[in-house]
C-alpha cells in the first residue's frame, strides 16, 4: 500500500467514525424519544393476503418481482424531501464520481464507465395516507466512448419503503423526519456501501442489517400457503438448520395440496359454527394458527424420519410466490401478494430500529 493509499483509507475511517457517532446520537437527540418510539412490537394477527397492486407501473412491478433483494433497516431520514429527487440524483452521481476517482468504487466489468443516477417515486406503493411514498434509486453505467445506440447498463437498484407503517409511530415523528424504514438493495456490495454512506451524510440516518427471524419466516410460510387456492404455490420448501458439528441442514419439501389441506383444516377447526362468513375477523390469521401449522409439519417429519426439527431453526422458506432467507434476502414472485409481504417486512424493520 502506498502512502497515498494509506491516507485515503485513514480519511475514510475517520469519516465513518464521525458518521456513525452523528447518526447514532444526533438523530436520537432530534427525535426526542417518546412512548410511541419505544413500545413497538410485532403483530400477533394479520390480514389474509388478498391485496393486489393496480396503481404501480408494470415496468416497476417487473423490476421488483424479478430481483432478489438484500434487506436493511434505516432510521428516519432528516429533511428528506420527495420534491427534491432530481437534485438527489445529481448529488449522488457526483458523489459516486468522486468515490470512483479515489479508487473506492467498483468498476463495472473492468470498463471505464461513468454513472447516471435516477431517484423516482413508485406511485401507488402505499397502504395508508400516513405511509410516505416509496422511493426507487437506480444506477446505470455508460462507457466514456459509447457506441451508437448503445444502451446504458443497469448496475445497481434499491428502494426505500414504508407499507402500512405503525400509525402511532409515524405520527409521533417530528415533521422534519421521513420514515422509510425498509431498504432493499440489489447489486455490488461496494455500491450499496457507498450509497448508504451518501444517505447517512445527507439525511443523518443510520443503517443496520435486517435479518428475517425464525418467527417471520413462519409467518411468510403460512401467508403464502394461505394463497394456494387462488394462486397455486407449486411447492412448499423449508430449510432447517440443526445444531450439530458441523451444523446440519435439512431440506423439507411438502406437496402444495398437502400443505393446503393441512393449513385449511387448521383454519376451519378454529372457526365458530355460528359465523356466517361475513365477519371480517375471519380473514385474519393469528400467530396461534401459524404455530400450529408449523408444529403439525414438524410432527409429520418426525413420524417419518425420527428427527426433531424443534431442536433447530427455520432458515429458509420458498414457494412459487416468493422465497425468504434468514440472512435478509427475499424474492417476491407474485405481485398480487407483494404488499402483504412488504407489510410484514416494514413491521420487522420498525421493530429492529434502535430508536
Amino acid at each position: 500500500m502506498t502512502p497515498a493509499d494509506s491516507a485515503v483509507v485513514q480519511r475514510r475511517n475517520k469519516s465513518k467514525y464521525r458518521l456513525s457517532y452523528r447518526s447514532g446520537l444526533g438523530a436520537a437527540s432530534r427525535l426526542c424519544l417518546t412512548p410511541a418510539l419505544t413500545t413497538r412490537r410485532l403483530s400477533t394477527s394479520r390480514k389474509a393476503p388478498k391485496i393486489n397492486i393496480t396503481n404501480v407501473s408494470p415496468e416497476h412491478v417487473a423490476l421488483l418481482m424479478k430481483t432478489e433483494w438484500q434487506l436493511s433497516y434505516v432510521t428516519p431520514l432528516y429533511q428528506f424531501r420527495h420534491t427534491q429527487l432530481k437534485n438527489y440524483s445529481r448529488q449522488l452521481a457526483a458523489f459516486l464520481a468522486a468515490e470512483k476517482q479515489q479508487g473506492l468504487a467498483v468498476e463495472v466489468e473492468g470498463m471505464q464507465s461513468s454513472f447516471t443516477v435516477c431517484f423516482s417515486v413508485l406511485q401507488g406503493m402505499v397502504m395508508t395516507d400516513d405511509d410516505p411514498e416509496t422511493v426507487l434509486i437506480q444506477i446505470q453505467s455508460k462507457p466514456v466512448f459509447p457506441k451508437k445506440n448503445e444502451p446504458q447498463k443497469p448496475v445497481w437498484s434499491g428502494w426505500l419503503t414504508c407499507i402500512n407503517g405503525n400509525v402511532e409511530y409515524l405520527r409521533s415523528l417530528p415533521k422534519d423526519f421521513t420514515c422509510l424504514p425498509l431498504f432493499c438493495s440489489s447489486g455490488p456490495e461496494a455500491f450499496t456501501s457507498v450509497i448508504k454512506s451518501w444517505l447517512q451524510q445527507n439525511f443523518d440516518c443510520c443503517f443496520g442489517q435486517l435479518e428475517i427471524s425464525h418467527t417471520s419466516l413462519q409467518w411468510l410460510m403460512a401467508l403464502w400457503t394461505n394463497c394456494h387456492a387462488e394462486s397455486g404455490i407449486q411447492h412448499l420448501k423449508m430449510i432447517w438448520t440443526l445444531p450439530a458439528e458441523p451444523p446440519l441442514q435439512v431440506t423439507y419439501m411438502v406437496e402444495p395440496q398437502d400443505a393446503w389441506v393441512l393449513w385449511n383444516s387448521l383454519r376451519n377447526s378454529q372457526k365458530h359454527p355460528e359465523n356466517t362468513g361475513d365477519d371480517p375477523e375471519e380473514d385474519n390469521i393469528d400467530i396461534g394458527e401459524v404455530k400450529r401449522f408449523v408444529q403439525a409439519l414438524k410432527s409429520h417429519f418426525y413420524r417419518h424420519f425420527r428427527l426433531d426439527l424443534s431442536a433447530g431453526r427455520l432458515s429458509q422458506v420458498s414457494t412459487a410466490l416468493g422465497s425468504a432467507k434468514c440472512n435478509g434476502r427475499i424474492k417476491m414472485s407474485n405481485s398480487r401478494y407483494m404488499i402483504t409481504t412488504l407489510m410484514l417486512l416494514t413491521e420487522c424493520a420498525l421493530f429492529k430500529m434502535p430508536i
Side-chain angles (χ1 to χ4, degrees):
M1 179 180 289
T2 66
D5 292 334
S6 177
V8 169
V9 172
Q10 288 179 8
R11 284 199 304 272
R12 196 176 191 196
N13 287 340
K14 289 179 181 178
S15 174
K16 279 186 175 179
Y17 175 79
R18 288 195 297 270
L19 280 172
S20 61
Y21 181 84
R22 184 189 65 188
S23 297
L25 300 180
S29 64
R30 286 199 183 99
L31 283 170
C32 302
L33 297 180
T34 67
L37 296 170
T38 55
T39 59
R40 294 159 294 155
R41 58 183 179 181
L42 293 176
S43 298
T44 58
S45 179
R46 303 180 191 281
K47 285 282 187 182
K50 290 184 178 179
I51 303 164
N52 195 8
I53 55 174
T54 57
N55 298 327
V56 183
S57 74
E59 178 187 358
H60 285 153
V61 170
L63 172 66
L64 301 184
M65 291 297 101
K66 69 182 181 182
T67 306
E68 184 179 58
W69 302 98
Q70 178 65 56
L71 305 179
S72 302
Y73 69 82
V74 55
T75 56
L77 307 172
Y78 181 61
Q79 292 188 339
F80 179 89
R81 301 287 184 264
H82 283 78
T83 56
Q84 297 296 313
L85 298 186
K86 287 186 177 180
N87 287 335
Y88 300 156
S89 298
R90 289 193 292 268
Q91 292 168 18
L92 179 54
F95 187 79
L96 284 171
E99 292 285 286
K100 184 173 181 290
Q101 192 171 16
Q102 294 181 39
L104 301 177
V106 297
E107 293 288 347
V108 183
E109 296 185 358
M111 298 185 300
Q112 292 296 320
S113 305
S114 60
F115 304 113
T116 59
V117 178
C118 179
F119 278 72
S120 58
V121 170
L122 284 178
Q123 297 286 351
M125 283 281 287
V126 294
M127 271 292 293
T128 70
D129 291 339
D130 291 290
D131 291 339
E133 291 278 7
T134 296
V135 175
L136 174 67
I137 309 171
Q138 294 174 290
I139 298 177
Q140 296 180 315
S141 70
K142 58 180 180 180
V144 177
F145 303 106
K147 298 177 183 177
K148 185 178 180 180
N149 299 325
E150 182 177 359
Q152 295 189 43
K153 180 179 179 179
V155 175
W156 186 94
S157 298
W159 41 298
L160 296 145
T161 193
C162 179
I163 305 296
N164 198 38
N166 182 283
V167 174
E168 183 183 7
Y169 176 78
L170 295 177
R171 292 180 179 176
S172 71
L173 291 173
K175 64 179 182 179
D176 281 334
F177 283 88
T178 300
C179 186
L180 293 164
L182 182 62
F183 179 68
C184 309
S185 60
S186 175
E189 179 58 34
F191 272 100
T192 302
S193 297
V194 170
I195 290 157
K196 285 182 177 180
S197 176
W198 180 84
L199 289 167
Q200 287 175 321
Q201 288 185 36
N202 285 272
F203 305 111
D204 208 9
C205 58
C206 60
F207 289 82
Q209 182 179 358
L210 182 59
E211 298 175 341
I212 305 178
S213 70
H214 177 77
T215 300
S216 296
L217 287 172
Q218 292 181 2
W219 265 112
L220 288 171
M221 186 168 68
L223 290 169
W224 288 338
T225 301
N226 189 74
C227 304
H228 178 66
E230 297 175 354
S231 303
I233 62 172
Q234 296 183 18
H235 64 271
L236 173 59
K237 178 181 177 181
M238 297 162 276
I239 296 180
W240 293 78
T241 302
L242 302 181
E245 194 56 48
L248 177 63
Q249 278 201 337
V250 176
T251 300
Y252 184 3
M253 294 280 291
V254 182
E255 290 293 325
Q257 191 60 29
D258 293 341
W260 166 249
V261 169
L262 174 61
W263 172 251
N264 202 38
S265 65
L266 291 171
R267 290 276 285 160
N268 288 334
S269 69
Q270 300 303 309
K271 292 181 179 179
H272 298 291
E274 62 272 17
N275 283 353
T276 63
D278 297 328
D279 185 358
E281 290 299 317
E282 287 194 26
D283 287 336
N284 285 354
I285 298 172
D286 66 55
I287 187 64
E289 292 172 308
V290 174
K291 290 185 177 298
R292 284 190 292 273
F293 179 54
V294 175
Q295 184 57 49
L297 290 169
K298 291 190 291 188
S299 298
H300 178 79
F301 191 87
Y302 182 79
R303 283 195 299 271
H304 285 273
F305 302 103
R306 288 295 183 264
L307 188 61
D308 187 5
L309 296 177
S310 298
R313 295 187 66 80
L314 186 60
S315 57
Q316 182 175 336
V317 298
S318 65
T319 71
L321 306 185
S323 64
K325 302 173 185 176
C326 63
N327 64 357
R329 300 194 71 86
I330 192 159
K331 184 175 182 180
M332 297 169 287
S333 305
N334 189 315
S335 62
R336 181 179 177 87
Y337 309 108
M338 180 175 68
I339 290 294
T340 300
T341 302
L342 292 175
M343 287 167 60
L344 171 63
L345 296 178
T346 295
E347 192 176 325
C348 293
L350 286 169
F351 182 76
K352 188 75 182 286
M353 285 195 317
I355 54 176

